[in-house]
Amino acid sequence: MTNISASAVAIWFLIVRLEGAAVPQAADVESRMKTLGTDVGGVMELLYKSLPSLEIHRAVPLLREREQFLSQLLRQGTSALRVQRVAWCLLQGVRILKLEKFRMIDRQEIEEAMCKISGRTASSRYWPARCWSAWVFKTSVIRWLRFHKKFRDTNVRCQPFGKRLDSFAKRLPSMRLGGDG
């Protein structure tokens, strides 16, 4: 196992144990992880061993885009269980947002989808602890959309001390700071 990181092998074994299958041989792990590193079209097979789960994920649009993001998460060292949860959130996101192809999506649309999942109306920014899965859904979908540059963030944050910096920048040319004379 020359080019395969230890974390990638650990992820593979964790996925296999979660699915309840027998532990594969080292050569099999290496070939599957090499496939994951070069080609995206196998992430769902790495995450799910049961045919019904695979069919559900394959039937929903934007499979390649979802696999690209999940592959990136696995390469970054995210646990297999977490990647499975993210995959499920993306699956629900594509269904609820009715995405047949990628389009720009804003925060309000994602929050409406989050309310559909949790069955609650968003009364404030802060959700109670029992709505944790809705929060995971929201953050997962936003990260996926940002990964593909399809998220339009309507929350524009101002720069700390922005007004002071702007006034300083305006006064800077009038200040004689150089030693020209």
Side-chain angles (χ1 to χ4, degrees):
M1 300 177 72
T2 55
N3 296 332
I4 309 245
S5 69
S7 63
V9 173
I11 289 171
W12 172 257
F13 283 112
L14 179 64
I15 292 170
V16 169
R17 295 204 182 206
L18 286 175
E19 293 287 331
V23 178
Q25 298 297 319
D28 186 34
V29 173
E30 185 173 348
S31 66
R32 293 296 296 263
M33 293 308 293
K34 282 182 181 176
T35 302
L36 178 63
T38 57
D39 184 38
V40 179
V43 177
M44 293 302 175
E45 287 78 7
L46 280 173
L47 293 175
Y48 299 102
K49 296 294 178 209
S50 67
L51 192 57
S53 297
L54 284 171
E55 289 175 357
I56 289 171
H57 281 279
R58 289 179 185 153
V60 176
L62 301 173
L63 175 66
R64 179 136 177 97
E65 289 82 0
R66 288 183 286 130
E67 282 189 334
Q68 287 172 344
F69 180 66
L70 297 173
S71 173
Q72 179 65 24
L73 290 178
L74 285 172
R75 277 190 231 114
Q76 290 174 348
T78 307
S79 73
L81 185 59
R82 171 74 178 150
V83 175
Q84 282 182 337
R85 287 182 185 148
V86 170
W88 184 253
C89 288
L90 299 182
L91 181 75
Q92 297 305 316
V94 170
R95 286 180 175 171
I96 291 174
L97 294 169
K98 297 177 182 163
L99 294 174
E100 293 297 322
K101 60 180 184 172
F102 256 141
R103 59 181 167 84
M104 293 300 287
I105 297 177
D106 62 356
R107 185 176 297 273
Q108 181 180 357
E109 195 172 351
I110 293 173
E111 287 182 359
E112 289 170 4
M114 181 177 68
C115 291
K116 288 179 184 177
I117 281 184
S118 67
R120 297 182 127 63
T121 58
S123 57
S124 71
R125 279 178 53 170
Y126 305 102
W127 285 67
R130 63 181 173 229
C131 295
W132 184 257
S133 62
W135 181 84
V136 171
F137 166 79
K138 176 182 169 182
T139 57
S140 298
V141 171
I142 287 175
R143 288 177 182 158
W144 175 56
L145 293 169
R146 278 189 179 143
F147 178 78
H148 289 290
K149 296 176 178 46
K150 295 295 182 182
F151 179 67
R152 184 181 312 124
D153 198 357
T154 53
N155 287 352
V156 179
R157 297 181 181 166
C158 62
Q159 181 180 12
F161 306 106
K163 291 180 182 178
R164 289 185 181 178
L165 288 171
D166 289 342
S167 68
F168 177 73
K170 287 179 184 176
R171 287 188 299 144
L172 196 57
S174 65
M175 299 171 83
R176 298 188 188 254
L177 299 175
D180 294 339

